[in-house]
Amino acid sequence: KNEVEQSPQNLTAQEGEFITINCSYSVGISALHWLQQHPGGGIVSLFMLSSGKKKHGRLIATINIQEKHSSLHITASHPRDSAVYICAAPTGNQFYFGTGTSLTVIP
Amino acid sequence: DVKVTQSSRYLVKRTGEKVFLECVQDMDHENMFWYRQDPGLGLRLIYFSYDVKMKEKGDIPEGYSVSREKKERFSLILESASTNQTSMYLCASSDSGRGSYNEQFFGPGTRLTVL
């Protein structure tokens, strides 16, 4: 049983396409994190959100706490967006991670 | 900028060796974490620490120990390395408060191979 489920696992898109990555979680949380991991390993925090929507450049994250669901959208995707995107749900002293969505954007 | 550094990017060790992985953060964060990341399994928490000399087990602590003698440094120790500990190890830190609600800042990772 995974506390955090992501879909899709793999995603290939043409440059310019609108991309959506979904995250569902079963644990009670007050905030959800979206992380980005580029080839080579480094992980960067993109968003931490507890309600509604946040936007940063071409990235938009939404969350519905009641439905325990979050989405990460990328508008006008670019090859440099190619990375693994991970959602993470903190609860108590634990962090539950999804297994990640591997995104490849083709020029 | 918050900086979390790890002592090695790549490490190759032999079965049975004692392995030390070091993590240093420069933002005076209280919380520090050690994860391992394996294909298909995602990130899994090994240990975390919310204060100097304090530690708590995560999901997969077996075969590992940790040390936090100074606030900025969190060490992961593999007492007797085994091949199933071949993995990517990631360190992270976050700001105050016991728990993991705050944004975590990750190090670049150490890819450990145990032969």
Side-chain angles (χ1 to χ4, degrees):
Chain A
K1 172 175 98 66
N2 292 327
E3 287 79 6
V4 180
E5 300 271 2
Q6 276 185 247
S7 63
Q9 283 193 324
N10 297 284
L11 184 56
T12 301
Q14 290 292 130
E15 184 173 356
E17 280 187 25
F18 181 83
I19 288 161
T20 295
I21 299 169
N22 294 301
C23 176
S24 297
Y25 54 92
S26 59
V27 292
I29 64 170
S30 58
L32 183 121
H33 299 241
W34 280 101
L35 311 172
Q36 180 191 56
Q37 185 175 29
H38 279 284
I43 294 177
V44 174
S45 178
L46 295 174
F47 294 102
M48 183 175 69
L49 66 164
S50 56
S51 65
K53 181 168 78 173
K54 282 192 176 180
K55 186 175 188 288
H56 186 255
R58 294 178 295 104
L59 300 176
I60 304 166
T62 63
I63 190 167
N64 185 318
I65 291 286
Q66 287 75 27
E67 293 186 4
K68 295 188 174 180
H69 182 268
S70 177
S71 293
L72 177 68
H73 307 284
I74 304 175
T75 62
S77 59
H78 189 276
R80 64 174 174 265
D81 297 325
S82 298
V84 175
Y85 293 85
I86 302 166
C87 68
T91 177
N93 286 329
Q94 295 286 349
F95 240 116
Y96 294 100
F97 294 88
T99 54
T101 295
S102 179
L103 170 66
T104 303
V105 181
I106 300 169
Chain B
D1 275 355
V2 174
K3 188 169 278 186
V4 180
T5 57
Q6 294 182 228
S7 49
S8 306
R9 290 301 304 273
Y10 300 94
L11 207 52
V12 180
K13 295 292 182 180
R14 297 218 172 265
T15 300
E17 280 192 79
K18 191 169 186 175
V19 182
F20 293 87
L21 302 182
E22 302 282 339
C23 175
V24 177
Q25 50 94 3
D26 66 358
M27 283 301 290
D28 203 36
H29 284 167
E30 278 76 13
N31 300 330
M32 296 188 75
F33 306 82
W34 273 108
Y35 299 95
R36 64 177 282 176
Q37 185 180 32
D38 301 287
L41 297 176
L43 284 157
R44 292 180 291 167
L45 181 65
I46 305 171
Y47 269 98
F48 68 97
S49 168
Y50 53 89
D51 203 352
V52 175
K53 296 193 186 293
M54 305 302 287
K55 61 185 179 184
E56 289 201 20
K57 294 179 180 179
D59 297 320
I60 50 165
E62 297 77 19
Y64 304 94
S65 62
V66 290
S67 172
R68 192 157 179 212
E69 296 296 319
K70 293 184 178 181
K71 191 175 186 180
E72 67 271 16
R73 189 179 296 269
F74 191 35
S75 301
L76 179 70
I77 303 147
L78 286 65
E79 298 291 343
S80 177
S82 63
T83 54
N84 62 13
Q85 292 178 309
T86 292
S87 187
M88 170 70 92
Y89 290 88
L90 288 146
C91 173
S93 71
S94 71
D95 210 345
S96 62
R98 185 176 176 177
S100 43
Y101 298 101
N102 296 319
E103 180 182 2
Q104 292 196 359
F105 296 86
F106 286 83
T110 295
R111 189 166 292 282
L112 173 66
T113 302
V114 183
L115 302 176

